[in-house]
Amino acid sequence: RLPCGGSYTSLARLSILYLLLFSFFRAFAARSVDISPFNSFTAPQLVDRANHFLGANQPDSALVYFVMAARKAAPKGSSADTHAKAMLGQWRIYFFYYYDYAKAYSSLSDADGTAGCSHKVKAAVLAAFGNMYQTFYSYSSDPQLGHKATDYYSRSIRSQAKDRGNDLETMTSTLVNLTDMCFWLHDVRKALPYLNMVTKYAANKEPSVRFCLLLYKSLLALETGRPN
């Protein structure tokens, strides 16, 4: 038996720990995002970069750029839309990727409190609130949460209808969520005024609008017990 064997063992363990930590931080550094080339980017460019990372399923990197964009864009005036989009992007990451609902709600509330947003961006924020409450309803079946979801979806569609350059895809996807939520609350007819609102801005031959019409009729038939 070697003398001071315990010391040798401790030293070996420390060496192994050092190597493991060194390997970890080296690997972490390799995966880290080098943001220095983007310090000169404008806030809208940072949002675009964040969306690029999010589209590539890299939420960690996307979050870095959404945070940078939100800091550069003041939550008022001409940069209000960009600030709200940056906070909306953070909400998506915290809610759908990290499941950190407290930070998600905080980000969404920040976006909602941004003064001077366009109707289109405001509608996206309201639809996100609706999506959040509908998700919580799916976990709990609490009708109060379901009614909050329908309220936000309704407000989103009304806001989108005020924007003459509205995004039909966004309007119809919000309407689909609203109709589905109304069905689960046993009140499909509540979605009818918003279906009429959407068809007012788009021809019925549009595939997305036709889908909304068919969905409404199908869910209404299921609710009233008339499958035909």
Side-chain angles (χ1 to χ4, degrees):
R1 181 178 177 180
L2 293 173
C4 304
S7 298
Y8 291 157
T9 302
S10 298
L11 183 59
R13 287 175 178 172
L14 284 173
S15 299
I16 292 171
L17 179 60
Y18 172 80
L19 290 172
L20 288 173
L21 287 172
F22 178 79
S23 299
F24 170 80
F25 285 113
R26 184 177 182 181
F28 179 81
R31 292 195 302 269
S32 296
V33 181
D34 181 12
I35 63 173
S36 56
F38 305 102
N39 286 333
S40 61
F41 276 33
T42 64
Q45 288 174 323
L46 289 169
V47 169
D48 288 342
R49 187 68 182 172
N51 285 324
H52 167 77
F53 278 117
L54 202 54
N57 198 30
Q58 299 180 46
D60 295 346
S61 301
L63 183 60
V64 171
Y65 290 98
F66 279 133
V67 169
M68 290 175 64
R71 288 175 179 172
K72 278 199 171 187
K76 59 183 178 180
S78 59
S79 59
D81 273 6
T82 302
H83 181 85
K85 287 177 182 178
M87 296 311 302
L88 194 58
Q90 292 180 51
W91 167 78
R92 289 171 62 191
I93 293 170
Y94 285 127
F95 195 81
F96 293 110
Y97 291 89
Y98 296 166
Y99 307 108
D100 188 335
Y101 297 137
K103 286 186 178 180
Y105 183 82
S106 177
S107 299
L108 202 50
S109 296
D110 191 321
D112 190 40
T114 305
C117 284
S118 64
H119 291 303
K120 184 175 182 178
V121 173
K122 185 68 174 179
V125 173
L126 293 170
F129 268 114
N131 193 271
M132 180 179 69
Y133 282 114
Q134 185 170 11
T135 301
F136 292 156
Y137 170 84
S138 70
Y139 294 154
S140 65
S141 298
D142 183 347
Q144 187 175 1
L145 295 173
H147 286 300
K148 281 189 175 182
T150 59
D151 177 61
Y152 276 109
Y153 285 143
S154 302
R155 289 168 58 191
S156 176
I157 293 173
R158 288 198 299 270
S159 182
Q160 291 176 66
K162 293 176 184 176
D163 185 358
R164 294 298 176 180
N166 58 65
D167 181 354
L168 181 60
E169 183 179 352
T170 302
M171 285 187 76
T172 52
S173 64
T174 306
L175 178 59
V176 166
N177 289 335
L178 171 63
T179 307
D180 179 65
M181 193 68 255
C182 288
F183 172 74
W184 288 108
L185 293 173
H186 310 291
D187 192 9
V188 175
R189 286 189 175 88
K190 186 177 180 180
L192 181 58
Y194 301 96
L195 176 61
N196 293 335
M197 198 176 295
V198 171
T199 56
K200 179 181 177 181
Y201 289 95
N204 290 352
K205 63 182 180 180
E206 289 285 346
S208 57
V209 177
R210 288 175 58 196
F211 176 80
C212 289
L213 286 165
L214 290 172
L215 178 67
Y216 175 81
K217 290 178 180 178
S218 299
L219 294 182
L220 181 63
L222 282 172
E223 182 176 280
T224 57
R226 295 195 302 272
N228 60 339

